[in-house]
Amino acid sequence: MTGRERIFSGMRPTGQMHIGHYFGVLRNWVRLQHEYECIFGVADWHALTTSFENTKDLETHMIDMVTDWLSVGIDPQKCLLMVQSLVPEHAELHLLFSMITPVGWLERNPVLKQQLQDMGLKEAVGYGHLGYPVLMASDILIYKASKVPVGEDQVPHIEITREIARRFNSLYAPVFPEPQALLTDSPRILGIDGRKMSKSLGNHIGLSEPPGEVRRKVLAMFTDPEKIRRNDPGHPERCNVFTFHRATGNTRVEEIERDCRSGTLGCVTCKQELAEHLIRFLETIAPHRGEYEGKQELVREILVEGSRRARLLARETLEEARRAMGIHYGIAR
Ligand code: TRP
């Protein structure tokens, strides 16, 4: 690999991607691969922290997710695509980091606090779940990545990663960089019901959604609640349908805004236009769909090869960390 700055980012295997993932994360990854040396990982161990009871779809979810990464233009010739559990060095570094990470840092993690509230888990939080940020620090630091593209919600984890790196470096030797989060200024796309877009809420539009489904879902979207009759003047700034027109680059966005405000454009017509526009948009953002869709074996080979190459990098850092900690004994493994 070249001397460019290195990026690591990961995603839990959640299955097929939706347009929220595209605007929030994937579009950014596709851009970054031209400027940085990128490693993108399937965080299957992270998925286990909360979904350890239901693992039967993990593999399908991984393949479906990575098929979508590839379809939108993540290029396996340019990036390393790997699977966390196929690079066990992450787990060993996690163990070493767990020795130097105060439990207080993890108990104060606002992401965990929020999850506990949402899930009503308080007493039952798993040991692995508590260590979520330590595992994430291992993912990033084992490749000495200096930048980490993530959503706003992950920033506290990057903070903990920096603290772990700093602590390791000051205790032993300056092995690790202190990585920074790379945030996107992506348009906020909500689900078709106006809540956060999420597959579990069934309010998403998938990147590989068939045209008929796109039409059905778009026609079910909420619009400006004050625009009841066709000719009522609307408020595009409060309308999720308008946000979609703008975010997906409809070139007629100015006319739509004007005609909605003046009451000449009705919501049904506006949604019909959005559906057709979205169908074309989904085709353009997934130019490689035909190369990967339904080609499980090809996708698996890409992940196996990426993990093999990632492992060579991970091993080197692990040797260095063991040496710095005094548990290398001059014995390479
Ligand atoms: N926790 C991240 C998320 O839920 C996924 C992830 C795992 C990750 N390891 C990472 C992101 C390392 C960035 C870097 O979105």
Side-chain angles (χ1 to χ4, degrees), residues 179-292:
Q180 285 172 332
L182 269 187
L183 296 174
T184 29
D185 47 354
S186 54
R188 195 99 183 94
I189 279 276
L190 296 171
I192 58 171
D193 58 0
R195 292 184 290 171
K196 183 183 184 320
M197 187 176 284
S198 137
K199 209 162 57 170
S200 57
L201 294 173
N203 64 1
H204 64 294
I205 293 184
L207 295 185
S208 49
E209 198 90 51
E213 279 298 291
V214 174
R215 290 190 189 100
R216 188 184 66 77
K217 289 187 174 178
V218 170
L219 285 175
M221 280 176 80
F222 295 168
T223 53
D224 173 10
E226 283 174 43
K227 187 167 161 70
I228 297 159
R229 276 173 297 263
R230 185 182 200 292
N231 297 324
D232 291 344
H235 307 84
E237 70 281 4
R238 283 184 235 152
C239 180
N240 199 18
V241 172
F242 184 71
T243 311
F244 270 64
H245 276 296
R246 198 170 38 199
T248 55
N250 189 342
T251 50
R252 282 193 2 94
V253 71
E254 277 163 30
E255 287 113 292
I256 291 170
E257 175 165 14
R258 187 193 59 212
D259 297 347
C260 171
R261 279 190 205 289
S262 68
T264 43
L265 176 66
C267 293
V268 174
T269 317
C270 180
K271 288 199 272 193
Q272 281 164 341
E273 172 167 346
L274 177 61
E276 299 317 308
H277 173 69
L278 259 183
I279 290 164
R280 285 191 302 273
F281 176 75
L282 291 178
E283 278 167 17
T284 59
I285 62 168
H288 300 282
R289 168 93 43 218
E291 269 168 69
Y292 297 108

Side-chain angles (χ1 to χ4, degrees), residues 96-109:
L96 298 179
F97 283 165
S98 77
M99 304 301 171
I100 65 166
T101 307
V103 174
W105 291 2
L106 305 175
E107 285 173 340
R108 278 195 296 278
N109 172 18

Side-chain angles (χ1 to χ4, degrees), residues 8-12 29 41-43 46 84 132 135-137 139-140 148-151 153-154 157-158:
F8 183 90
S9 196
M11 238 192 250
R12 282 169 291 174
W29 285 11
V42 179
H46 276 111
Q84 196 179 37
Y132 192 108
L135 183 55
M136 214 167 127
D139 295 343
I140 298 164
V148 189
V150 281
D153 61 312
Q154 295 293 316
H157 292 156
I158 308 299

